[in-house]
Amino acid sequence: EAFAREFAAQVSSWIARCPVPAGKPDQAPFSKWRTIEAGIRMAFTWPAAFVVFRRSPSLDDAMVIAVACSIAEHGRYLRAHPTSGNWLTMEMNGLFHAGCLLDFLAEARSWRDFAAGRLREELDRQVYPDGAQFELSPGYHVVALRNLLGPASIAKPYGHALPAGYVEGLERMYTYALLAMTPDRDLPRWNDSWRVDVKSLLEDGLRLFPRRDDFRWVVTEGKEGKAPEGPSHWFPWAGQAVLRSGWDRDAIFLGFEAGPFGYGHQHEDKLGIVVGAGARPLLVEAGSYAYDASKWRAHVLTSRAHNVVLVDGKGQARRGRPREAYVAREPLDGGFRSGPALDLVRGVYDEGFGPGREKLARHGREVAFLREAGVFV
């Protein structure tokens, strides 16, 4: 009951002190009503806590009604102010949850239909045919996937249908995570990214797609199912390659990115490589560090924080164009080949170096994996 009382105190205080913005959305830093956080509250934190405490004597009728009214305010706010990218997946997941939780509202069905429809469109817009989410950050790939998974998890129990192809569209996102997986069942920390538990992720994928023996092989540590094909792979829309000796946890691994800048969360790291032997990282990426104003956050965005060349001390300079300019319109030819003796992939950076994007050089990089020797060149 101590926890229930604290929940009631904190949520009632938040509702009283954080009124929903009137008119345009408040997307300012530290705003309590950024649409991304509003979506997260509705899809994850508030329902998870409320279902635990709602029958407690510490939550009287007035408190329950206050929470329901706030959920309604969240639903109207999210319906009125959708954005784009991974934010949109969080917003629409929250909106769909609000539409399920408050099914007695006349608006609820329109919220669910709008949220599911937008997410179905985003599956085609944000997810390339090779399965990569268009921000090209494995961390945010998983963020988008988990938010797309939200409606797929609760629609049927609540008695609602999703648009045709919705659930089926998630399969290629799980497949990307499988094929890009490092030997320790993580994902490369390209762009803003962090530790990802691919094995846990594929447990969800296997529940949705029980016929996938390669998912089952990872989830059961090779005791059941069949090892994925490959083992090396090229993602032509993302412009990413993974070269590996095998699928076991002791394999050697190289990740190489030669594709577009990405829709969001980008680093100046084209042609960067990461190398690992089993769980031991050898050439690393910094990942996202922390979203703060420190010199280290500024550093990890630059070429200096990655395994790429500098020209006259200057790094790559792709930042500053409209976001849509960084979305792939066609697959990339990386010259990828994979065989019993040799894997090979290549890429080129010719978009300028330094603040003025001076065309100081054209950097080409080829990576080969000599399988019998176990050597990357």
Side-chain angles (χ1 to χ4, degrees), residues 131-133 136-143 145-146 173-199 201-202 235 240 242 244 247 253-255 274 281 284-287:
Q133 196 259 1
L136 302 182
S137 156
Y140 281 98
H141 175 95
V142 175
V143 167
L145 174 53
R146 290 205 182 281
M173 298 187 75
Y174 284 109
T175 301
Y176 170 84
L178 169 75
L179 297 177
M181 180 179 67
T182 60
D184 60 343
R185 305 325 188 221
D186 196 354
L187 288 172
R189 287 186 177 83
W190 289 319
N191 293 313
D192 281 343
S193 204
W194 47 82
R195 169 72 187 174
V196 171
D197 184 353
V198 177
K199 179 181 174 182
L201 186 72
L202 291 179
F235 300 94
Q240 298 168 347
V242 290
R244 67 174 88 234
W247 289 102
F253 174 96
L254 182 144
V274 293
V284 303
E285 287 276 18

Side-chain angles (χ1 to χ4, degrees), residues 253-254 273-277 280-285 307:
F253 174 96
L254 182 144
I273 56 175
V274 293
V275 178
R280 183 182 179 188
L282 301 175
L283 289 178
V284 303
E285 287 276 18
N307 299 303

Side-chain angles (χ1 to χ4, degrees), residues 269-325:
D269 61 350
K270 188 173 182 179
L271 308 187
I273 56 175
V274 293
V275 178
R280 183 182 179 188
L282 301 175
L283 289 178
V284 303
E285 287 276 18
S288 57
Y289 183 67
Y291 292 148
D292 60 19
S294 70
K295 65 179 181 180
W296 297 114
R297 170 59 183 168
H299 173 72
V300 301
L301 302 178
T302 69
S303 297
R304 291 181 181 274
H306 301 87
N307 299 303
V308 298
V309 301
L310 305 179
V311 179
D312 292 348
K314 301 177 189 295
Q316 298 176 12
R318 293 189 283 180
R319 195 174 305 279
R321 299 184 177 99
R323 281 187 165 197
E324 292 296 333

Side-chain angles (χ1 to χ4, degrees), residues 318-343:
R318 293 189 283 180
R319 195 174 305 279
R321 299 184 177 99
R323 281 187 165 197
E324 292 296 333
Y326 303 129
V327 177
R329 305 302 174 191
E330 58 185 17
L332 177 70
D333 179 10
F336 177 75
R337 56 184 282 193
S338 181
L342 174 72
D343 291 351

Side-chain angles (χ1 to χ4, degrees), residues 101-117:
L101 291 166
L102 301 186
D103 198 27
F104 51 84
L105 288 185
E107 305 153 87
R109 179 173 181 176
S110 68
W111 293 350
R112 294 192 305 268
D113 290 347
F114 181 80

